[in-house]
Amino acid sequence: MNIAEYNGVWVFAEQRNGELQKVSLEILGEGRRLADELGVKLTAVLLGNNVACLADILGEHGADEILVAEHEELENYTTDGYTKVLCDLANERKPGILFIGATFIGRDLGPRVAARLSTGLTADCTSLEVDVTNGDLLATRPAFGGNLMATIACPNHRPQMATVRPGVFSKLTEKKENYNIEKVDVHLEASDIRTTVLEVVKANKDIVDIGEAKVIVAGGRGVGSKENFELLQELATTLGGVVGASRGAVDKGWVERDYQVGQTGKTVRPTIYIACGISGAIQHVAGMQESDMIIAINKDESAPIMKVADYAIVGDLNKVIPEMINKLKESAETEEPLVCRI
């Protein structure tokens, strides 16, 4: 492999049912920074059927170039179909770096593409840097159960690949105006795909995306029971927010996994994060430490979460939270709601 032939930063732009996934736009924001440091182009790769209308969004969010690959066999995601098209493009155009979102689709697609391209893959990254002297990607991810952060490089193979966790990076705030859209030829037959999508059935659940929430009231094992989460829900409703949970609470069945925050859950960046009965294990903190304001409520003043918090309240959450709710309601009746002022 002649590494000198490979350059440019690529982002797989994941879409589902014609809607771009926010993680792709977040990666474009970070990819823009890395591409500028390396002095190379940032390319978004969009796969699907009748999805060309999404290309402008990718350009406005940082891409210099958008490659649009449309085919009827790409209507629904299949590992075989998407892998073949993405690998064909990578072999032809030789990107130096390829990023994929660490979603259900990305975690399936990334390893298959890496194996077919005979390169490495760093999964679930939370930080990305580049060595401008040689173009090496320095991808950082939690390791050993989240007890330390490992920075991984792949100096001898290209493209360098990484899957990136949703919610870790921010989208560009200013729209980019100059970009190029190119429709590429897709060589794909039905026989290339070993599986057939018979039907797509969506779960009939009203799930709130905690990654978009401005206020999150999260509970851990210290909450004590599923019934006690109703108190957290009341506080969240008063603040106009949503309820989250640590893995401990989810494992006990008190809260659905969709609301789990942490290394094995979702990464969130709310304006206010209230941690109730959460010890503050590094696996959980990794998913919420970028919150603008962290308020911790815990009986144990020496709990790790208290050191992370901007405001640490030592006490029984069953007494503290009702008092907070009363004060918030009083504030709302007399003046601008407290959460707006914060």
PDB file of all heavy atoms in Angstrom, residues 108-132:
ATOM      1  N   ASP A 108     -22.549  -1.724  12.390  1.00  0.00           N
ATOM      2  CA  ASP A 108     -22.598  -2.884  11.513  1.00  0.00           C
ATOM      3  C   ASP A 108     -21.748  -2.650  10.265  1.00  0.00           C
ATOM      4  O   ASP A 108     -20.973  -3.514   9.837  1.00  0.00           O
ATOM      5  CB  ASP A 108     -24.041  -3.176  11.112  1.00  0.00           C
ATOM      6  CG  ASP A 108     -24.155  -4.300  10.108  1.00  0.00           C
ATOM      7  OD1 ASP A 108     -23.923  -5.458  10.499  1.00  0.00           O
ATOM      8  OD2 ASP A 108     -24.475  -4.037   8.938  1.00  0.00           O
ATOM      9  N   LEU A 109     -21.868  -1.463   9.688  1.00  0.00           N
ATOM     10  CA  LEU A 109     -21.189  -1.144   8.431  1.00  0.00           C
ATOM     11  C   LEU A 109     -19.688  -0.949   8.605  1.00  0.00           C
ATOM     12  O   LEU A 109     -18.891  -1.434   7.787  1.00  0.00           O
ATOM     13  CB  LEU A 109     -21.818   0.126   7.832  1.00  0.00           C
ATOM     14  CG  LEU A 109     -21.223   0.641   6.524  1.00  0.00           C
ATOM     15  CD1 LEU A 109     -21.445  -0.366   5.399  1.00  0.00           C
ATOM     16  CD2 LEU A 109     -21.849   1.993   6.167  1.00  0.00           C
ATOM     17  N   GLY A 110     -19.275  -0.233   9.655  1.00  0.00           N
ATOM     18  CA  GLY A 110     -17.872   0.101   9.832  1.00  0.00           C
ATOM     19  C   GLY A 110     -16.932  -1.098   9.826  1.00  0.00           C
ATOM     20  O   GLY A 110     -15.960  -1.135   9.049  1.00  0.00           O
ATOM     21  N   PRO A 111     -17.168  -2.113  10.660  1.00  0.00           N
ATOM     22  CA  PRO A 111     -16.269  -3.270  10.682  1.00  0.00           C
ATOM     23  C   PRO A 111     -16.215  -4.009   9.358  1.00  0.00           C
ATOM     24  O   PRO A 111     -15.156  -4.491   8.948  1.00  0.00           O
ATOM     25  CB  PRO A 111     -16.865  -4.150  11.787  1.00  0.00           C
ATOM     26  CG  PRO A 111     -17.634  -3.212  12.649  1.00  0.00           C
ATOM     27  CD  PRO A 111     -18.185  -2.179  11.716  1.00  0.00           C
ATOM     28  N   ARG A 112     -17.364  -4.119   8.655  1.00  0.00           N
ATOM     29  CA  ARG A 112     -17.383  -4.835   7.385  1.00  0.00           C
ATOM     30  C   ARG A 112     -16.555  -4.091   6.334  1.00  0.00           C
ATOM     31  O   ARG A 112     -15.789  -4.694   5.586  1.00  0.00           O
ATOM     32  CB  ARG A 112     -18.827  -4.996   6.901  1.00  0.00           C
ATOM     33  CG  ARG A 112     -18.965  -5.791   5.605  1.00  0.00           C
ATOM     34  CD  ARG A 112     -18.465  -7.221   5.759  1.00  0.00           C
ATOM     35  NE  ARG A 112     -19.266  -7.946   6.715  1.00  0.00           N
ATOM     36  CZ  ARG A 112     -20.399  -8.608   6.408  1.00  0.00           C
ATOM     37  NH1 ARG A 112     -20.827  -8.631   5.161  1.00  0.00           N
ATOM     38  NH2 ARG A 112     -21.060  -9.247   7.340  1.00  0.00           N
ATOM     39  N   VAL A 113     -16.700  -2.761   6.292  1.00  0.00           N
ATOM     40  CA  VAL A 113     -15.929  -1.968   5.337  1.00  0.00           C
ATOM     41  C   VAL A 113     -14.436  -2.051   5.654  1.00  0.00           C
ATOM     42  O   VAL A 113     -13.599  -2.224   4.763  1.00  0.00           O
ATOM     43  CB  VAL A 113     -16.401  -0.494   5.346  1.00  0.00           C
ATOM     44  CG1 VAL A 113     -15.452   0.389   4.531  1.00  0.00           C
ATOM     45  CG2 VAL A 113     -17.819  -0.396   4.800  1.00  0.00           C
ATOM     46  N   ALA A 114     -14.092  -1.939   6.942  1.00  0.00           N
ATOM     47  CA  ALA A 114     -12.686  -1.995   7.339  1.00  0.00           C
ATOM     48  C   ALA A 114     -12.060  -3.330   6.954  1.00  0.00           C
ATOM     49  O   ALA A 114     -10.922  -3.385   6.464  1.00  0.00           O
ATOM     50  CB  ALA A 114     -12.556  -1.765   8.843  1.00  0.00           C
ATOM     51  N   ALA A 115     -12.790  -4.414   7.170  1.00  0.00           N
ATOM     52  CA  ALA A 115     -12.263  -5.732   6.829  1.00  0.00           C
ATOM     53  C   ALA A 115     -12.052  -5.868   5.330  1.00  0.00           C
ATOM     54  O   ALA A 115     -11.032  -6.396   4.874  1.00  0.00           O
ATOM     55  CB  ALA A 115     -13.214  -6.820   7.337  1.00  0.00           C
ATOM     56  N   ARG A 116     -12.984  -5.369   4.542  1.00  0.00           N
ATOM     57  CA  ARG A 116     -12.869  -5.501   3.091  1.00  0.00           C
ATOM     58  C   ARG A 116     -11.756  -4.616   2.533  1.00  0.00           C
ATOM     59  O   ARG A 116     -11.121  -4.968   1.543  1.00  0.00           O
ATOM     60  CB  ARG A 116     -14.205  -5.167   2.427  1.00  0.00           C
ATOM     61  CG  ARG A 116     -14.241  -5.514   0.948  1.00  0.00           C
ATOM     62  CD  ARG A 116     -15.651  -5.527   0.400  1.00  0.00           C
ATOM     63  NE  ARG A 116     -16.466  -6.581   1.016  1.00  0.00           N
ATOM     64  CZ  ARG A 116     -17.720  -6.850   0.638  1.00  0.00           C
ATOM     65  NH1 ARG A 116     -18.287  -6.142  -0.323  1.00  0.00           N
ATOM     66  NH2 ARG A 116     -18.402  -7.807   1.234  1.00  0.00           N
ATOM     67  N   LEU A 117     -11.513  -3.486   3.190  1.00  0.00           N
ATOM     68  CA  LEU A 117     -10.440  -2.592   2.730  1.00  0.00           C
ATOM     69  C   LEU A 117      -9.102  -2.932   3.375  1.00  0.00           C
ATOM     70  O   LEU A 117      -8.108  -2.244   3.130  1.00  0.00           O
ATOM     71  CB  LEU A 117     -10.810  -1.135   3.051  1.00  0.00           C
ATOM     72  CG  LEU A 117     -12.032  -0.569   2.321  1.00  0.00           C
ATOM     73  CD1 LEU A 117     -12.305   0.857   2.781  1.00  0.00           C
ATOM     74  CD2 LEU A 117     -11.842  -0.606   0.810  1.00  0.00           C
ATOM     75  N   SER A 118      -9.072  -3.977   4.210  1.00  0.00           N
ATOM     76  CA  SER A 118      -7.841  -4.426   4.880  1.00  0.00           C
ATOM     77  C   SER A 118      -7.196  -3.308   5.685  1.00  0.00           C
ATOM     78  O   SER A 118      -5.997  -3.039   5.593  1.00  0.00           O
ATOM     79  CB  SER A 118      -6.835  -4.982   3.855  1.00  0.00           C
ATOM     80  OG  SER A 118      -7.381  -6.091   3.176  1.00  0.00           O
ATOM     81  N   THR A 119      -8.016  -2.637   6.472  1.00  0.00           N
ATOM     82  CA  THR A 119      -7.506  -1.551   7.304  1.00  0.00           C
ATOM     83  C   THR A 119      -8.040  -1.714   8.722  1.00  0.00           C
ATOM     84  O   THR A 119      -8.786  -2.641   9.018  1.00  0.00           O
ATOM     85  CB  THR A 119      -7.904  -0.181   6.721  1.00  0.00           C
ATOM     86  OG1 THR A 119      -7.226   0.853   7.437  1.00  0.00           O
ATOM     87  CG2 THR A 119      -9.403   0.051   6.788  1.00  0.00           C
ATOM     88  N   GLY A 120      -7.656  -0.806   9.608  1.00  0.00           N
ATOM     89  CA  GLY A 120      -8.095  -0.871  10.994  1.00  0.00           C
ATOM     90  C   GLY A 120      -9.298   0.015  11.246  1.00  0.00           C
ATOM     91  O   GLY A 120      -9.646   0.871  10.436  1.00  0.00           O
ATOM     92  N   LEU A 121      -9.930  -0.188  12.379  1.00  0.00           N
ATOM     93  CA  LEU A 121     -11.096   0.606  12.768  1.00  0.00           C
ATOM     94  C   LEU A 121     -11.065   0.850  14.266  1.00  0.00           C
ATOM     95  O   LEU A 121     -10.969  -0.090  15.053  1.00  0.00           O
ATOM     96  CB  LEU A 121     -12.389  -0.131  12.399  1.00  0.00           C
ATOM     97  CG  LEU A 121     -13.689   0.490  12.926  1.00  0.00           C
ATOM     98  CD1 LEU A 121     -13.997   1.779  12.187  1.00  0.00           C
ATOM     99  CD2 LEU A 121     -14.844  -0.498  12.794  1.00  0.00           C
ATOM    100  N   THR A 122     -11.123   2.118  14.662  1.00  0.00           N
ATOM    101  CA  THR A 122     -11.237   2.470  16.076  1.00  0.00           C
ATOM    102  C   THR A 122     -12.701   2.783  16.349  1.00  0.00           C
ATOM    103  O   THR A 122     -13.265   3.683  15.728  1.00  0.00           O
ATOM    104  CB  THR A 122     -10.356   3.683  16.421  1.00  0.00           C
ATOM    105  OG1 THR A 122      -9.011   3.414  16.032  1.00  0.00           O
ATOM    106  CG2 THR A 122     -10.404   3.968  17.914  1.00  0.00           C
ATOM    107  N   ALA A 123     -13.306   2.034  17.258  1.00  0.00           N
ATOM    108  CA  ALA A 123     -14.754   2.124  17.468  1.00  0.00           C
ATOM    109  C   ALA A 123     -15.116   3.043  18.626  1.00  0.00           C
ATOM    110  O   ALA A 123     -14.377   3.177  19.592  1.00  0.00           O
ATOM    111  CB  ALA A 123     -15.322   0.731  17.718  1.00  0.00           C
ATOM    112  N   ASP A 124     -16.292   3.680  18.505  1.00  0.00           N
ATOM    113  CA  ASP A 124     -16.875   4.495  19.578  1.00  0.00           C
ATOM    114  C   ASP A 124     -15.938   5.597  20.062  1.00  0.00           C
ATOM    115  O   ASP A 124     -15.725   5.772  21.269  1.00  0.00           O
ATOM    116  CB  ASP A 124     -17.264   3.599  20.763  1.00  0.00           C
ATOM    117  CG  ASP A 124     -18.666   3.025  20.600  1.00  0.00           C
ATOM    118  OD1 ASP A 124     -19.247   3.225  19.524  1.00  0.00           O
ATOM    119  OD2 ASP A 124     -19.169   2.401  21.536  1.00  0.00           O
ATOM    120  N   CYS A 125     -15.403   6.355  19.149  1.00  0.00           N
ATOM    121  CA  CYS A 125     -14.445   7.409  19.511  1.00  0.00           C
ATOM    122  C   CYS A 125     -15.146   8.595  20.160  1.00  0.00           C
ATOM    123  O   CYS A 125     -16.272   8.954  19.822  1.00  0.00           O
ATOM    124  CB  CYS A 125     -13.695   7.883  18.268  1.00  0.00           C
ATOM    125  SG  CYS A 125     -12.684   6.599  17.536  1.00  0.00           S
ATOM    126  N   THR A 126     -14.429   9.222  21.089  1.00  0.00           N
ATOM    127  CA  THR A 126     -14.946  10.407  21.764  1.00  0.00           C
ATOM    128  C   THR A 126     -14.058  11.630  21.522  1.00  0.00           C
ATOM    129  O   THR A 126     -14.406  12.732  21.928  1.00  0.00           O
ATOM    130  CB  THR A 126     -15.052  10.161  23.279  1.00  0.00           C
ATOM    131  OG1 THR A 126     -13.769   9.780  23.783  1.00  0.00           O
ATOM    132  CG2 THR A 126     -16.045   9.050  23.583  1.00  0.00           C
ATOM    133  N   SER A 127     -12.912  11.423  20.872  1.00  0.00           N
ATOM    134  CA  SER A 127     -12.014  12.535  20.571  1.00  0.00           C
ATOM    135  C   SER A 127     -11.205  12.185  19.327  1.00  0.00           C
ATOM    136  O   SER A 127     -10.811  11.030  19.142  1.00  0.00           O
ATOM    137  CB  SER A 127     -11.066  12.808  21.747  1.00  0.00           C
ATOM    138  OG  SER A 127     -10.140  13.837  21.429  1.00  0.00           O
ATOM    139  N   LEU A 128     -10.981  13.191  18.470  1.00  0.00           N
ATOM    140  CA  LEU A 128     -10.252  12.971  17.221  1.00  0.00           C
ATOM    141  C   LEU A 128      -9.226  14.075  17.009  1.00  0.00           C
ATOM    142  O   LEU A 128      -9.531  15.258  17.161  1.00  0.00           O
ATOM    143  CB  LEU A 128     -11.220  12.953  16.027  1.00  0.00           C
ATOM    144  CG  LEU A 128     -12.331  11.901  16.043  1.00  0.00           C
ATOM    145  CD1 LEU A 128     -13.349  12.197  14.957  1.00  0.00           C
ATOM    146  CD2 LEU A 128     -11.760  10.500  15.867  1.00  0.00           C
ATOM    147  N   GLU A 129      -8.017  13.674  16.671  1.00  0.00           N
ATOM    148  CA  GLU A 129      -6.956  14.612  16.334  1.00  0.00           C
ATOM    149  C   GLU A 129      -6.184  14.042  15.148  1.00  0.00           C
ATOM    150  O   GLU A 129      -6.332  12.861  14.799  1.00  0.00           O
ATOM    151  CB  GLU A 129      -6.010  14.846  17.517  1.00  0.00           C
ATOM    152  CG  GLU A 129      -6.665  15.471  18.744  1.00  0.00           C
ATOM    153  CD  GLU A 129      -7.141  16.888  18.517  1.00  0.00           C
ATOM    154  OE1 GLU A 129      -6.635  17.548  17.573  1.00  0.00           O
ATOM    155  OE2 GLU A 129      -8.020  17.345  19.280  1.00  0.00           O
ATOM    156  N   VAL A 130      -5.330  14.858  14.532  1.00  0.00           N
ATOM    157  CA  VAL A 130      -4.484  14.382  13.438  1.00  0.00           C
ATOM    158  C   VAL A 130      -3.054  14.864  13.643  1.00  0.00           C
ATOM    159  O   VAL A 130      -2.817  15.916  14.246  1.00  0.00           O
ATOM    160  CB  VAL A 130      -4.989  14.877  12.059  1.00  0.00           C
ATOM    161  CG1 VAL A 130      -6.269  14.169  11.665  1.00  0.00           C
ATOM    162  CG2 VAL A 130      -5.172  16.390  12.052  1.00  0.00           C
ATOM    163  N   ASP A 131      -2.121  14.067  13.173  1.00  0.00           N
ATOM    164  CA  ASP A 131      -0.713  14.452  13.158  1.00  0.00           C
ATOM    165  C   ASP A 131      -0.436  15.018  11.779  1.00  0.00           C
ATOM    166  O   ASP A 131      -0.385  14.282  10.782  1.00  0.00           O
ATOM    167  CB  ASP A 131       0.167  13.221  13.428  1.00  0.00           C
ATOM    168  CG  ASP A 131       1.641  13.578  13.556  1.00  0.00           C
ATOM    169  OD1 ASP A 131       2.041  14.644  13.035  1.00  0.00           O
ATOM    170  OD2 ASP A 131       2.404  12.789  14.141  1.00  0.00           O
ATOM    171  N   VAL A 132      -0.276  16.337  11.695  1.00  0.00           N
ATOM    172  CA  VAL A 132      -0.137  16.987  10.393  1.00  0.00           C
ATOM    173  C   VAL A 132       1.172  16.641   9.696  1.00  0.00           C
ATOM    174  O   VAL A 132       1.318  16.858   8.491  1.00  0.00           O
ATOM    175  CB  VAL A 132      -0.255  18.525  10.537  1.00  0.00           C
ATOM    176  CG1 VAL A 132      -1.648  18.909  11.021  1.00  0.00           C
ATOM    177  CG2 VAL A 132       0.809  19.086  11.480  1.00  0.00           C
TER     178      VAL A 132
END
